């Protein structure tokens, strides 16, 4: 799924050429702006802008659907329950329950806001590799400890996934077939326990390897980020778009 996202967004050369710092700031600014909107016209405009950005970046079709599948499942639950919990003028009555017009409006606002924010994050930040995100956050002045925590967490997740695949392959080589019985639950418990034990062991070896290389609690940034004219133009366009959304929300 991640490979599909990178393949889709990589078709947009202008986006890949953008400074990662601009993409992170633009995504955060867009999310804060959309979340603060209260009127439906402004929210729909923000959603339209996010969709246009996804289309221009090449994030459409299957790659987009897979990424939004989990969100839409949660939104479906929200749409089916929120209208019945908000007081107001009844639109539909199901026995003692009544769906209000205000509840439907709130659910629609949340639906379009969530989709707009997720789309913007997928296009602007989701197509960056973790190392680039960490370096960009460090260049933006994020505390070093938070940046280190992000980079180490990504590294450990990768190591744990590799270890899990090795253990699962060993279980399949011993003809293990999961069933709903005590033996299966015991085996899964041992799997989780061994995964934690080996993960701790690998983390200790990682720390020892970093100390052997002179690590003293700080990662040195070796990237060469440069702000170009394209970044300035895109920053101006983003600022104008967000200002237009806020103005539209105030006038509507």
């Amino acid at each position: 799924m991640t490979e599909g996202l990178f393949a889709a967004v990589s078709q947009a050369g202008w986006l890949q050429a953008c400074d990662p710092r601009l993409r992170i700031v633009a995504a955060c600014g867009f999310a804060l702006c959309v979340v603060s909107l209260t009127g439906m016209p402004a929210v729909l405009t923000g959603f339209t802008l996010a969709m246009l950005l996804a289309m221009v970046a090449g994030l459409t079709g299957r790659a987009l659907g897979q990424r939004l599948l989990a969100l839409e499942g949660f939104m479906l639950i929200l749409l089916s329950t929120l209208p019945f919990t908000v007081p107001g003028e009844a639109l539909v009555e199901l026995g003692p329950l009544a769906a209000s017009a205000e509840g439907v409006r709130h659910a629609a606002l949340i639906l379009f806001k969530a989709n707009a924010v997720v789309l913007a994050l997928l296009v602007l930040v989701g197509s960056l590799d973790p190392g680039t995100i960490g370096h960009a956050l460090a260049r933006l002045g994020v505390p070093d400890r938070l940046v280190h925590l992000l980079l180490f967490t990504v590294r450990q997740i990768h190591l744990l996934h590799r270890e899990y695949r090795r253990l699962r392959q060993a279980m399949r080589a011993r003809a293990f077939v999961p069933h709903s019985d005590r033996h299966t639950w015991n085996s899964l418990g041992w799997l989780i326990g061994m995964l934690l034990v080996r993960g701790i062991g690998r983390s200790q070896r990682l720390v020892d390897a970093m100390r052997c290389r002179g690590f003293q609690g700080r990662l040195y940034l070796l990237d060469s980020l440069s702000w170009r004219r394209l970044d300035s133009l895109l920053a101006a366009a983003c600022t104008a778009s967000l200002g237009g959304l806020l103005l539209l929300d105030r006038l509507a």
Side-chain angles (χ1 to χ4, degrees):
M1 189 180 299
T2 305
E3 291 77 3
L5 176 63
F6 277 94
V9 179
S10 62
Q11 298 176 1
W14 64 271
L15 184 60
Q16 295 298 323
C18 292
D19 193 302
R21 295 169 294 181
L22 172 62
R23 294 170 65 172
I24 293 176
V25 172
C28 294
F30 182 82
L32 293 175
C33 177
V34 170
V35 170
S36 65
L37 300 178
T38 58
M40 182 60 73
V43 172
L44 290 177
T45 304
F47 176 73
T48 303
L49 290 176
M51 285 294 299
L52 291 175
L53 179 62
M55 293 175 60
V56 173
L59 183 59
T60 56
R62 184 177 180 181
L64 179 61
Q66 289 178 341
R67 283 285 176 165
L68 294 178
L69 183 61
L71 174 65
E72 301 307 334
F74 176 76
M75 289 294 106
L76 181 61
I77 299 176
L78 177 69
L79 291 174
S80 59
T81 57
L82 185 59
F84 295 96
T85 60
V86 177
E89 181 183 356
L91 292 179
V92 179
E93 294 185 1
L94 299 176
L97 301 177
S100 64
E102 289 77 7
V104 173
R105 180 179 179 275
H106 282 298
L109 283 175
I110 295 175
L111 173 66
F112 288 109
K113 283 184 180 182
N115 280 274
V117 171
V118 170
L119 280 173
L121 290 176
L122 285 177
V123 175
L124 297 175
V125 181
S127 56
L128 293 173
D129 62 89
T132 303
I133 294 177
H135 282 74
L137 291 176
R139 296 296 187 186
L140 289 172
V142 176
D144 290 340
R145 291 189 177 183
L146 294 179
V147 176
H148 295 169
L149 180 62
L150 170 65
L151 296 177
F152 288 147
T153 300
V154 172
R155 175 62 176 169
Q156 284 300 109
I157 290 176
H158 176 68
L159 293 178
L160 287 176
H161 180 65
R162 288 179 57 187
E163 196 64 35
Y164 169 77
R165 293 181 60 183
R166 289 179 57 190
L167 292 174
R168 285 290 294 147
Q169 185 177 3
M171 295 175 68
R172 286 193 294 267
R174 291 166 175 80
F176 172 75
V177 179
H179 297 287
S180 182
D181 54 13
R182 184 174 181 178
H183 173 70
T184 298
W185 292 112
N186 287 336
S187 299
L188 293 178
W190 281 106
L191 171 64
I192 296 175
M194 289 301 299
L195 185 63
L196 293 176
V197 171
R198 295 194 178 188
I200 294 175
R202 282 184 173 271
S203 64
Q204 292 295 334
R205 291 197 295 272
L206 177 62
V207 172
D208 294 339
M210 294 178 64
R211 288 176 178 173
C212 290
R213 290 165 174 81
F215 179 71
Q216 298 179 351
R218 183 173 181 270
L219 295 177
Y220 296 96
L221 302 178
L222 303 178
D223 60 338
S224 57
L225 298 179
S226 60
W227 190 271
R228 293 176 293 183
R229 183 178 180 182
L230 174 63
D231 300 317
S232 300
L233 294 176
L234 292 177
C238 292
T239 304
S241 300
L242 298 182
L245 284 177
L246 295 176
L247 181 62
L248 177 62
D249 186 56
R250 181 177 293 272
L251 295 177

